[in-house]
């Protein structure tokens, strides 16, 4: 099956710093999705990317769909304490009547005030 | 938009009992919903794909007789954990597809089986 490599696994940063995380795959995806999950909650969609090369922003968040369709990155600028949580990338592939969403293992972000 | 709710958010039950978890799409119709299970500090594990009006498709290793899924309408899917045991204790999350491969997740249900 498809596998996603998400890195880094965890990171500790100072408040105000920028953050970057990425996901790579051995297979192509039609869609890349980035989610944030707080403890005891379901994942919340941050950014959805639908086209190779697409660069999309949502406030302080910016994500890009890699041109090869096998990778994506998420940047968070000027981090704040509420950015703390686990960030998951997910790649979606649909075709020939099937649909599959594959998750990365997550990046745990800690922000030091 | 694209809000998914789950009920209950937490449930504690005795071993051997059955528990039903509801997943609703509040502001859109979802022909397909998904059920995930998440272990502590782990990523989400897909259990099954629930299609409105038809049988669910279960992932390998997931017992369909233990985890009963019903998708009776375009806005409601239910997961029933039958004869629950302590090893079924977990965080169960549903999701629904609103458009173009994008899944929106519910807030999750914490199941504790005593």
């Amino acid at each position: 099956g498809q596998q996603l490599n998400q890195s880094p696994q965890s990171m500790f940063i100072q408040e105000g710093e920028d953050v970057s995380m990425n996901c790579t795959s051995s297979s192509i995806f039609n869609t890349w999705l980035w989610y944030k999950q707080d403890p005891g909650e379901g994942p919340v969609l941050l950014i959805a990317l639908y086209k190779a090369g697409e660069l999309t922003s949502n406030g302080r968040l910016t994500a890009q769909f890699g041109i090869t369709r096998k990778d994506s990155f998420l940047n968070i600028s000027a981090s704040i304490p509420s950015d703390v949580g686990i960030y998951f990338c997910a790649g979606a592939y649909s075709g020939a009547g099937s649909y599959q969403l594959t998750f990365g293992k997550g990046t745990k972000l800690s922000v030091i005030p | 938009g694209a809000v998914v709710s789950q009920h209950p958010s937490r449930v504690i039950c005795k071993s051997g009992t059955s528990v039903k978890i509801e997943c609703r799409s509040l502001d859109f119709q979802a022909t397909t919903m998904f059920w995930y299970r998440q272990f502590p500090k782990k990523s989400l594990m897909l259990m099954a794909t629930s299609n409105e009006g038809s049988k669910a498709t279960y992932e390998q290793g997931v017992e369909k007789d233990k985890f009963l899924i019903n998708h009776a309408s375009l806005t409601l899917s239910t997961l029933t954990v039958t004869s629950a045991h302590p090893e079924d204790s977990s965080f169960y999350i549903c999701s629904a597809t609103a458009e173009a491969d994008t899944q929106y997740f519910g807030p999750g249900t914490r199941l504790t089986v005593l």
Side-chain angles (χ1 to χ4, degrees), chain A residues 17-52:
Chain A
E17 289 184 346
D18 297 342
V19 174
S20 185
M21 58 191 80
N22 69 84
C23 280
T24 59
S25 169
S26 56
S27 319
I28 62 172
F29 291 110
N30 301 130
T31 301
W32 279 96
L33 306 166
W34 285 93
Y35 294 91
K36 182 190 178 204
Q37 187 175 26
D38 292 325
E41 300 289 333
V44 173
L45 181 67
L46 299 175
I47 293 180
L49 303 159
Y50 302 110
K51 292 182 182 178

Side-chain angles (χ1 to χ4, degrees), chain B residues 79-93:
Chain B
L79 168 68
T80 302
V81 183
T82 62
S83 187
H85 288 94
E87 57 265 30
D88 298 325
S89 298
S90 193
F91 192 52
Y92 292 88
I93 311 174

